[in-house]
Amino acid sequence: MPVSPADFAAALRQHPAGVALMTVRDDTDDVGTTVTSVMSVSADPPLVAVGLAADGYPAEVLEAVGSCALTVLAAGQAILASRFSSAGRPGARHLLESVPWSRTAGSDAIVLDGGVVALDCRLDRLVPAGDHVLALLAVVGVPVLREDAAPLLRLRGRYVDAPG
């Protein structure tokens, strides 16, 4: 008997996942979305993968622009994760009022100065994966690296600060 989508989701809620903000700068605005499906793919060349809803606007704009940035959120940044995961959200700059940020050299996308790490990325390719796409991203820069910062995690449907 196949696993139901509900059982699958319930099972994976038990697995803690790091929380990241993906941003893309297009011609008119900055688009951002919360992602919990970032994984390292290759060190040489440096590649990461991000899962995005296949029919969502972030995947569409990433494909059109061809570059993005990822900021791994730090403990205490749960409110930002919530802002960027809500439906019908405004542009990224509006959601980041009073939050220190800068732009990356390669993609010109927003990264948060207070994140754990930020990656400047170029889209290598999109791979269909069920109701999602895997965006394979070539890492072209690491503009933020705070090795002493604790990450924000998502566990059992909630954002939690990692110990340490």
Side-chain angles (χ1 to χ4, degrees), residues 14-157:
Q14 304 305 310
H15 176 69
V19 182
L21 173 62
M22 185 188 85
T23 58
V24 179
R25 183 171 191 178
D26 70 6
D27 293 335
T28 58
D29 203 358
D30 292 280
V31 175
T33 190
T34 302
V35 293
T36 56
S37 58
V38 179
M39 70 175 221
S40 172
V41 175
S42 169
D44 188 16
L47 293 170
V48 295
V50 177
L52 300 169
D55 61 353
Y57 186 64
E60 178 184 325
V61 77
L62 174 60
E63 184 174 28
V65 171
S67 61
C68 68
L70 295 168
T71 303
V72 175
L73 297 180
Q77 291 184 314
I79 190 76
L80 293 174
S82 294
R83 285 180 193 169
F84 282 92
S85 63
S86 62
R89 62 191 167 273
R93 285 174 292 185
H94 177 75
L95 294 173
L96 293 172
E97 287 180 17
S98 76
V99 176
W101 57 269
S102 55
R103 291 200 180 273
T104 62
S107 65
D108 203 31
I110 291 173
V111 293
L112 305 185
D113 299 341
V116 174
V117 66
L119 305 174
D120 195 5
C121 301
R122 176 186 45 77
L123 178 62
D124 184 75
R125 65 184 167 273
L126 293 176
V127 179
D131 59 0
H132 278 61
V133 293
L134 290 179
L136 289 177
L137 304 170
V139 178
V140 298
V142 182
V144 175
L145 179 60
R146 295 178 47 228
E147 294 181 18
D148 61 330
L152 180 67
L153 300 177
R154 186 148 175 95
L155 177 65
R156 298 183 181 121

